[in-house]
Amino acid sequence: MNARAAVAFVVSSQRTRETAYLVVSLPADQAQPADLQQWARLEWHIENRLHRVRDETFREDAHQARTDNGPAVAAVLRNTAIGYHRSNGEPNIARATRRANHRPHDLIDAVTRNYPTTQ
C-alpha cells in the first residue's frame, strides 16, 4: 500500500507544501493516518538526530573514503563520536566536536580512565 501525506510549511511568510509518499506493508484498514504520521515523524526524528549530524557536522558526503572498509570504519568513528558526546549530555554535537578538537588529551583520558591496567 502506498500512502500519501501532505504537509504545509510556512517559511518567511511564504507558504509551501511538501508531499511525502510512504510505502508500508500493512493492509489499508490497518494503516490509519495517525499511525502513518507517527511513523513518518519517527523516521524524520532519526534522520534529524543522526544522519543530519553526520552529513553537516562531519561532512560525511564529502568524505574521500570509497574503497574496502574505509567508508564503514569512518562511519563507525563518526557514530562513536556522536554517541560519546550525546552520552555526556551535549545537545550541540558540532560545538562539542570543536571543543574536543582543541583538547584531544581530554578525550584520551576519558576513554582510558575507566579501564584497569593489566600487568
Side-chain angles (χ1 to χ4, degrees), residues 90-109:
E90 293 287 352
N92 187 322
I93 302 301
R95 182 177 56 222
T97 301
R98 286 190 301 271
R99 190 175 332 128
N101 286 340
H102 294 294
R103 303 177 70 171
H105 295 295
D106 289 351
L107 290 173
I108 293 168
D109 292 343

Side-chain angles (χ1 to χ4, degrees), residues 38-99:
Q38 181 180 1
W39 295 329
R41 285 187 176 178
L42 179 61
E43 178 63 29
W44 280 108
H45 176 75
I46 293 167
E47 174 66 28
N48 290 334
R49 188 149 169 88
L50 179 62
H51 297 288
R52 189 174 138 252
V53 171
R54 285 171 51 176
D55 290 343
E56 292 181 8
T57 302
F58 292 104
R59 295 186 293 266
E60 185 174 55
D61 292 340
H63 198 272
Q64 296 296 313
R66 301 274 188 262
T67 60
D68 298 325
N69 292 332
V73 170
V76 166
L77 292 172
R78 287 184 201 101
N79 288 341
T80 302
I82 293 167
Y84 174 79
H85 292 311
R86 289 242 163 89
S87 69
N88 287 325
E90 293 287 352
N92 187 322
I93 302 301
R95 182 177 56 222
T97 301
R98 286 190 301 271
R99 190 175 332 128

